[in-house]
Amino acid sequence: MMVESASETIRSAPSGQNGVGGLSGQTDGGAGAAGTAAGSTGRDGTGRDTTSSADSNGEMSPAELLHFQQQQVPMSVAMMSQQMLTPQQMQQILSPPQLQALLQQQQALMLQQLQEYYKKQQEQLHLQLLTQQQAGKQQPKEALGNKQLAFQQQLLQIQQLQQQHLLNLQRQGLVSLQPSQASGPLQTLPQAAVCPTDLPQLWKGEGAPGQPAEDSVRQEGLDLAGTAATATSFASPPKVSPPLSHHPLPNGQPTVLTARRDSSSHEETPGSHPLYGHGECKWPGCETLCEDLGQFIKHLNTEHALDDRSTAQCRVQMQVVQQLEIQLAKESERLQAMMAHLHMRPSEPKPFSQPLNPVPGSSSFSKVTVSADPFPDGLVHPPTSAAAPVTPLRPPGLGSASLHSGGPARRRSSDKFCSPISSELAQNHEFYKNADVRPPFTYASLIRQAILETPDRQLTLNEIYNWFTRMFAYFRRNTATWKNAVRHNLSLHKCFVRVENVKGAVWTVDEREYQKRRPPKMTGSPTLVKNMISGLSYGALNASYQAALAESSFPLLSSPGMLNPGSASSLLPLSQDDGGAPGEPLPSNGSSSPPRLSPPQYSHQVQVKEEPTEAGEERRPGPALVPPTPSIVGPPEDRDLEEELPGEELS
DNA sequence: TGAGATGTAAACAATT
DNA sequence: TAATTGTTTACATCTC
């Protein structure tokens, strides 16, 4: 019981605080955190400094090299970790397209580093061999032969490791090169000797109990939504794919990674399965707990066998991936154009100065570094996820949320500072919907958003739950935890008012109370101002960006096939609710309908109850049969930015 | 260092 | 009776 509880705590621990005993090793360094983040090699998470062992001075015994190779993924991530924000922070700072761009640049950088490293290793070995050969003239023939043999074996081993390493990178999507494209020492590898069907064996450790998983996949005859196969064979011919016919991407860009695919590949370890992680089935919509891999395999074969439903789910997943890829491509192009227009230098690597602690499991972005910071020049990143610029680094979360979500950051953006939650959601609606990433908003702001999105500004608890699960992939897991948090927040915050309705109890938002709990306005709080304006041009940039957000929004929201009806309309109008940082000069408020954005307008607000001014009893008026009536609430000073009037806008 | 905000866990009661 | 809903308390963490 206690163990289970503790386990759950660990899994869902938001910020991975060290309060959880025995986990200090996870938080003490970037390398360890990165290793956990990668989570693909089954390492023990001790946070060994794989970086130092890998790039020290090039002297490395075969055993060390083997160890290095086995930990290559953590090492690779660790190489970046010192210059990297946590994935959560990256996510908050950068929009998915930006992350994608960063990821690609980092891939190239990593490949280059690896090639250099291997080249150095080979040169050293050759040199040693040569030296020994010359020295061996004075040595007995037999000894020389043995030494030569040893060196040759060593060389061969290194070459094999190189090969494996490259294949690993390919599998993880870190390298999308065809073998023939490899340059430098990699070209010397016997590439042709490895066919794609060998990959599983290569990726598996010696004697790793991963066979059942592979078998199960084959038995299913499914490509598992294309995730596993595509992740494992980016550069491989499709012949390794099971019978299921692939739906070729119309845009022909199969090399674009998605967070989900990435996450799958990251967690695939010997004895693991891309659809199995943290003790539960990761099949979309399925959270079945499985004690071990065997049980999971059994579950997989029974619950997700080849049938219409599974096939349909695969297709859906493929479409999701496809749409995300399209979206990423579009946004990347947009970003490039914007940066070009602003005379930014996208290719100029400018690592963040802060040490980074990738969130364990946040493999979605764990490979992303800021080496290609699209906003050099010290500009603060646009607050697509606004907390980012001011979110301090913190120990990585420990959770299952991990990769996925990386563990919640303590400070969510929406409530404070400048993140308009609805803008963020509108912008990255599909991202949050499909990526298992925890949204950078507080429960309170999310609940409020859910309620405000409805025409009548009221929701039952169950409807709130549904909104969470519908809007965020993250909340399709750990339901007990976050549902409890939702209930807790509903009860705790005065801004949420329970109203007895005909159908039962519904929850509404008291906007006045909600605004009360907000932090002081920027103009009135120097500290806050300092935090907000961490960059010289933040204000201007933010304002511009807010305006830009209104324009660009989420292209796919207008795509009929991409959006479930109502979400776009429900999201977009709510642009500024949360956010609009106080004091922000936001002429457009990030909304696309300027007329309603004039400051004096105030949100609709649900007047749910008579509010006794006494602090004591106003809270739960009990069966307040007063139906929520939209009304203007609160003095202007309460409003940093007005609430949209969705109902009106929708009309 | 303390206050406030937030997240998580848990116990408990009321309701369905 | 079990599940859901709602309330409350406790604790940890983070930011200011």
Side-chain angles (χ1 to χ4, degrees):
Chain A
M1 186 60 179
M2 287 298 294
V3 174
E4 184 176 328
S5 175
S7 169
E8 178 62 20
T9 300
I10 293 171
R11 286 202 319 144
S12 58
S15 51
Q17 298 308 331
N18 302 336
V20 180
L23 295 166
S24 58
Q26 304 276 1
T27 62
D28 59 356
T36 310
S40 62
T41 56
R43 57 199 292 272
D44 55 6
T46 53
R48 273 186 292 262
D49 190 357
T50 54
T51 303
S52 61
S53 66
D55 61 6
S56 56
N57 55 3
E59 289 291 337
M60 187 182 288
S61 69
E64 290 170 336
L65 190 58
L66 179 60
H67 175 75
F68 157 69
Q69 190 275 339
Q70 288 171 341
Q71 305 209 358
Q72 57 176 308
V73 174
M75 185 281 299
S76 302
V77 178
M79 286 195 299
M80 304 178 288
S81 66
Q82 292 180 348
Q83 300 175 339
M84 201 174 78
L85 295 174
T86 66
Q88 179 91 15
Q89 290 164 339
M90 291 298 300
Q91 170 200 343
Q92 291 172 341
I93 293 173
L94 303 175
S95 63
Q98 292 172 334
L99 286 170
Q100 177 63 28
L102 292 178
L103 177 60
Q104 290 172 352
Q105 296 204 15
Q106 187 56 34
Q107 291 168 7
L109 179 63
M110 288 177 58
L111 176 61
Q112 184 181 356
Q113 291 173 343
L114 285 170
Q115 288 176 348
E116 289 174 356
Y117 169 75
Y118 283 135
K119 187 177 180 180
K120 189 184 300 181
Q121 290 292 312
Q122 276 196 325
E123 288 173 352
Q124 285 190 345
L125 277 175
H126 279 297
L127 191 60
Q128 291 179 21
L129 186 59
L130 204 59
T131 306
Q132 290 297 328
Q133 280 176 340
Q134 291 180 351
K137 290 175 182 176
Q138 288 85 28
Q139 292 180 356
K141 230 176 185 178
E142 191 175 2
L144 174 61
N146 288 339
K147 286 205 169 188
Q148 280 185 334
L149 185 60
F151 277 120
Q152 286 172 354
Q153 288 175 345
Q154 196 174 6
L155 179 60
L156 181 62
Q157 186 177 8
I158 286 185
Q159 287 180 340
Q160 289 173 345
L161 291 175
Q162 285 179 344
Q163 183 176 338
Q164 285 186 329
H165 199 162
L166 179 63
L167 290 169
N168 261 322
L169 290 179
Q170 286 179 332
R171 167 176 165 266
Q172 296 156 15
L174 292 176
V175 175
S176 57
L177 294 176
Q178 296 288 344
S180 61
Q181 292 176 286
S183 60
L186 294 175
Q187 285 180 322
T188 66
L189 298 179
Q191 306 277 358
V194 179
C195 69
T197 51
D198 295 330
L199 298 186
Q201 281 69 36
L202 278 176
W203 297 329
K204 279 187 241 172
E206 298 76 15
Q211 190 60 36
E214 298 292 339
D215 289 343
S216 72
V217 174
R218 293 196 187 95
Q219 288 166 7
E220 278 192 278
L222 280 176
D223 199 334
L224 295 177
T227 54
T230 51
T232 55
S233 59
F234 269 147
S236 303
K239 64 177 182 179
V240 290
S241 299
L244 179 69
S245 63
H246 278 269
H247 294 249
L249 298 180
N251 58 353
Q253 34 177 296
T255 58
V256 178
L257 292 177
T258 65
R260 183 174 291 276
R261 205 171 3 183
D262 206 18
S263 68
S264 299
S265 64
H266 262 274
E267 297 189 354
E268 189 177 0
T269 61
S272 181
H273 190 284
L275 286 171
Y276 178 64
H278 304 291
E280 58 182 42
C281 175
K282 300 173 80 175
W283 186 279
C286 178
E287 296 177 353
T288 304
L289 297 176
C290 302
E291 291 180 359
D292 53 27
L293 187 62
Q295 185 179 346
F296 163 74
I297 295 303
K298 193 176 298 181
H299 160 78
L300 194 63
N301 287 330
T302 55
E303 299 299 321
H304 307 302
L306 177 56
D307 55 18
D308 291 343
R309 187 187 63 159
S310 297
T311 306
Q313 288 174 328
C314 279
R315 290 208 177 98
V316 168
Q317 184 66 19
M318 292 167 77
Q319 290 178 355
V320 166
V321 172
Q322 179 179 332
Q323 291 295 334
L324 286 173
E325 290 171 346
I326 294 171
Q327 175 66 15
L328 281 170
K330 287 180 179 178
E331 295 295 337
S332 295
E333 287 181 15
R334 189 197 307 262
L335 175 62
Q336 293 298 323
M338 292 168 64
M339 291 163 60
H341 172 69
L342 297 175
H343 306 289
M344 290 176 175
R345 292 160 296 173
S347 60
E348 176 180 330
K350 183 177 181 179
F352 279 51
S353 57
Q354 296 165 305
L356 306 165
N357 294 322
V359 175
S362 296
S363 57
S364 303
F365 304 105
S366 61
K367 288 178 285 188
V368 178
T369 69
V370 291
S371 60
D373 183 2
F375 295 91
D377 311 328
L379 293 180
V380 173
H381 296 264
T384 304
S385 305
V390 294
T391 299
L393 299 173
R394 56 176 54 85
L398 297 169
S400 54
S402 41
L403 122 181
H404 327 350
S405 54
R410 274 290 170 193
R411 290 292 174 213
R412 308 252 171 240
S413 63
S414 64
D415 282 311
K416 309 204 180 272
F417 314 144
C418 51
S419 166
I421 179 172
S422 46
S423 291
E424 164 79 11
L425 288 181
Q427 180 86 357
N428 298 315
H429 168 253
E430 288 298 326
F431 176 74
Y432 288 124
K433 189 177 175 181
N434 298 299
D436 197 1
V437 173
R438 181 165 188 151
F441 308 109
T442 62
Y443 281 111
S445 59
L446 287 172
I447 294 168
R448 173 176 170 270
Q449 178 71 15
I451 294 172
L452 295 186
E453 277 188 15
T454 62
D456 48 359
R457 307 302 172 92
Q458 58 182 26
L459 282 177
T460 65
L461 179 64
N462 196 47
E463 288 170 336
I464 295 174
Y465 289 161
N466 292 336
W467 184 88
F468 271 67
T469 52
R470 188 176 68 249
M471 299 296 292
F472 303 99
Y474 175 83
F475 291 119
R476 290 164 203 154
R477 304 182 304 109
N478 299 329
T479 55
T481 299
W482 65 260
K483 282 181 177 178
N484 186 21
V486 167
R487 293 196 303 272
H488 168 73
N489 274 268
L490 285 170
S491 293
L492 185 67
H493 298 303
K494 290 182 179 181
C495 58
F496 299 120
V497 182
R498 184 173 174 273
V499 178
E500 289 291 337
N501 206 347
V502 182
K503 300 180 293 185
V506 294
W507 289 93
T508 60
V509 178
D510 184 338
E511 203 60 30
R512 185 182 304 173
E513 287 293 336
Y514 185 84
Q515 299 302 328
K516 278 183 184 177
R517 56 184 273 282
R518 300 191 65 181
K521 294 178 171 55
M522 260 182 79
T523 53
S525 170
T527 309
L528 195 56
V529 172
K530 188 184 70 175
N531 289 332
M532 291 282 297
I533 311 177
S534 55
L536 288 177
S537 358
Y538 173 78
L541 177 61
N542 186 39
S544 331
Y545 188 75
Q546 292 290 342
L549 279 183
E551 306 257 336
S552 60
S553 233
F554 204 74
L556 287 180
L557 290 178
S558 57
S559 170
M562 195 55 196
L563 201 56
N564 43 354
S567 22
S569 58
S570 60
L571 279 173
L572 292 174
L574 291 171
S575 53
Q576 289 307 326
D577 54 314
D578 227 335
E584 272 184 37
L586 296 178
S588 69
N589 255 347
S591 166
S592 54
S593 39
R596 64 184 174 80
L597 297 172
S598 55
Q601 289 182 327
Y602 289 92
S603 66
H604 61 294
Q605 198 257 332
V606 183
Q607 189 73 20
V608 251
K609 59 175 185 183
E610 311 76 62
E611 264 214 66
T613 48
E614 282 80 342
E617 38 141 343
E618 81 299 14
R619 178 69 180 107
R620 302 276 178 250
L625 296 173
V626 183
T629 55
S631 63
I632 292 175
V633 181
E637 61 271 19
D638 275 353
R639 301 293 309 181
D640 303 328
L641 46 161
E642 52 317 283
E643 284 297 329
E644 345 39 46
L645 300 168
E648 300 169 3
E649 291 158 5
L650 291 174
S651 61

